[in-house]
Amino acid sequence: MSIEVSGVNKKYGDFVALENIDLTLPTGQLTALLGPSGGGKTTLLRIIAGLEEADSGRVVIEGTDATRLPVQKRNVGFVFQHYAAFKHMSVARNVAFGLEIRKTPKAEVRRRVGELLELVHLSQFADRLPSQLSGGQRQRMALARALAVEPSVLLLDEPFGALDAKVRKELRDWLRRLHDEVHVTTVFVTHDQEEAMEVADEIVVVNQGRVEQVGTPDQLYDEPANDFVMGFLGEVTRLGPVRLRPHDIEVAVTPGSAGALEGTVTRLLRVGFEVRLTVQPDASPTAGGNGGGPEPVSVVLSRAHARSLDLELGSRVWLTPAVGAATVPAMVAV
């Protein structure tokens, strides 16, 4: 295994940043550390890099105990959100920097820089200054610089967070293709669920200093370990005793299977190819005393499906979980 984290704990005063983290990341894999802001994912990445020291626990990289190794001896490449470029140096000199301080022969530096600039599609910008590049180009330069020293592990801290949505989308597609070419073990931090689901081989969900679940994007989406994971990876609604995703609800316009939840369509909104419904369930005869009534249910259908049901405001519908839908028990209000 490329990275093994065992029993890692980290506090800042009374604040628990990480609590008893155990994690194994396979060689050659692209792993996302996903979670809300302040959940501990960047702290974990910085401990792996050697930029922070854990209060306790071990970090092993490629079979070497790196727990007490300084950052320069861990053979990791690190890419920050804000590039950290040398403004007075050309793109080529920025990429060459790590090789030059290691006293790599000049001919080898030229060869390696040329290969990397071609890899990240920046060969034509080799003599420009970073200020003359777009944000996406600067981030590709930062990735080339990190790869120049041939690290065993590449660590990315929200690498696309400072970019607009269109450029983010382009760069995450590019990062996936780049990883498939170079096969370096890569760990990146993000709070963007779509980014993690689209790019990563495996996702580690981190929340309040703890690992909630580790798995492939499909495993986390289809088999969430708990209510937090389900809710963080996509929209969730309540249907009777369970919580599930709005697109995992079957809608009928006549009474169907036993146990179906009956209600009225109170909102109908078309968004592109989707139709989003809000259904107000009928009050349960056993409910009472709290004055609130049952929660509205969110439902997502394709436009064609909604048309086939001839749905409109005020339509009576019967709702059931779709076969194979991922569900977790609904929390009972106290």
Side-chain angles (χ1 to χ4, degrees), residues 85-86 89-101 109-118 120 122 125-126 130 133 137-138 140-149:
F86 298 110
M89 292 183 181
S90 69
V91 170
R93 288 290 311 282
N94 264 275
V95 175
F97 181 78
L99 295 169
E100 291 175 345
I101 64 173
V109 172
R110 285 195 299 272
R111 183 192 67 79
R112 183 74 176 143
V113 170
E115 287 179 350
L116 285 165
L117 289 179
E118 185 175 347
V120 301
L122 290 178
F125 305 117
L133 303 179
Q137 289 167 340
R138 285 197 295 270
R140 298 209 309 268
M141 180 194 72
L143 282 160
R145 185 176 59 190
L147 289 168
V149 296

Side-chain angles (χ1 to χ4, degrees), residues 188-210:
F188 75 101
V189 162
T190 183
H191 62 267
D192 186 318
Q193 298 90 334
E194 184 178 337
E195 190 167 274
M197 300 281 284
E198 186 173 323
V199 175
D201 298 311
E202 187 170 78
I203 299 173
V204 179
V205 181
V206 182
N207 179 44
Q208 296 183 339
R210 297 185 297 273

Side-chain angles (χ1 to χ4, degrees), residues 29 84 112 274 299:
Q29 181 171 274
R112 183 74 176 143
E274 291 182 347
V299 183

Side-chain angles (χ1 to χ4, degrees), residues 12 22 47 73 134 198 214 244 276 297 314 333:
Y12 297 100
D22 293 308
I47 286 173
K73 293 188 177 181
S134 69
E198 186 173 323
V214 180
L244 74 174
R276 302 175 184 177
V297 181

Side-chain angles (χ1 to χ4, degrees), residues 6-334:
S6 306
V8 163
N9 293 276
K10 181 68 177 178
K11 284 186 178 182
Y12 297 100
D14 293 332
F15 175 70
V16 178
L18 295 173
E19 183 178 358
N20 199 30
I21 300 295
D22 293 308
L23 196 58
T24 299
L25 306 179
T27 299
Q29 181 171 274
L30 199 162
T31 301
L33 301 182
L34 173 67
S37 297
K41 54 192 185 296
T42 292
T43 300
L44 177 56
L45 192 79
R46 290 175 65 85
I47 286 173
I48 293 171
L51 298 171
E52 297 272 358
E53 187 173 328
D55 297 332
S56 59
R58 295 174 72 233
V59 176
V60 176
I61 300 175
E62 295 288 350
T64 299
D65 190 340
T67 309
R68 299 288 176 248
L69 285 180
V71 61
Q72 62 269 26
K73 293 188 177 181
R74 295 192 182 203
N75 195 28
V76 300
F78 203 97
V79 178
F80 297 92
Q81 180 176 333
H82 295 288
Y83 324 121
F86 298 110
K87 297 178 182 179
H88 63 289
M89 292 183 181
S90 69
V91 170
R93 288 290 311 282
N94 264 275
V95 175
F97 181 78
L99 295 169
E100 291 175 345
I101 64 173
R102 295 185 180 202
K103 302 190 185 306
T104 306
K106 290 183 179 180
E108 175 64 15
V109 172
R110 285 195 299 272
R111 183 192 67 79
R112 183 74 176 143
V113 170
E115 287 179 350
L116 285 165
L117 289 179
E118 185 175 347
L119 182 69
V120 301
H121 308 128
L122 290 178
S123 297
Q124 67 272 40
F125 305 117
D127 296 325
R128 291 194 184 183
L129 294 175
S131 61
Q132 296 173 303
L133 303 179
S134 69
Q137 289 167 340
R138 285 197 295 270
Q139 195 58 287
R140 298 209 309 268
M141 180 194 72
L143 282 160
R145 185 176 59 190
L147 289 168
V149 296
E150 298 182 312
S152 57
V153 174
L154 180 62
L155 306 177
L156 313 174
D157 187 10
E158 301 218 33
F160 312 136
L163 305 172
D164 64 51
K166 184 175 185 296
V167 177
R168 284 177 70 110
K169 169 70 174 169
E170 292 171 354
L171 273 185
R172 67 192 189 210
D173 291 344
W174 174 82
L175 176 62
R176 182 67 248 187
R177 293 194 302 272
L178 176 70
H179 179 268
D180 291 341
E181 287 187 46
V182 299
H183 296 294
V184 64
T185 303
T186 303
V187 184
F188 75 101
V189 162
T190 183
H191 62 267
D192 186 318
Q193 298 90 334
E194 184 178 337
E195 190 167 274
M197 300 281 284
E198 186 173 323
V199 175
D201 298 311
E202 187 170 78
I203 299 173
V204 179
V205 181
V206 182
N207 179 44
Q208 296 183 339
R210 297 185 297 273
V211 173
E212 298 280 357
Q213 188 174 359
V214 180
T216 66
D218 284 351
Q219 286 171 337
L220 266 62
Y221 197 82
D222 296 336
E223 304 168 30
N226 53 42
D227 189 65
F228 174 82
V229 174
M230 171 172 266
F232 195 73
L233 287 179
E235 187 181 353
V236 177
T237 192
R238 177 170 177 166
L239 183 64
V242 299
R243 298 186 77 211
L244 74 174
R245 305 194 189 283
H247 62 256
D248 279 339
I249 296 175
E250 296 283 3
V251 179
V253 292
T254 56
S257 59
L261 191 70
E262 186 177 355
T264 302
V265 175
T266 58
R267 186 168 184 260
L268 188 152
L269 175 67
R270 180 192 165 194
V271 182
F273 62 88
E274 291 182 347
V275 173
R276 302 175 184 177
L277 308 178
T278 300
V279 176
Q280 181 59 55
D282 296 345
S284 168
T286 60
N290 61 10
E295 295 179 16
V297 181
S298 298
V299 183
V300 174
L301 302 174
S302 70
R303 185 182 177 195
H305 189 189
R307 280 181 169 176
S308 72
L309 296 173
D310 196 24
L311 293 174
E312 57 186 32
L313 288 178
S315 293
R316 297 290 291 169
V317 292
W318 285 259
L319 308 179
T320 54
V323 175
T327 63
V328 294
M331 300 293 290
V332 178
V334 179

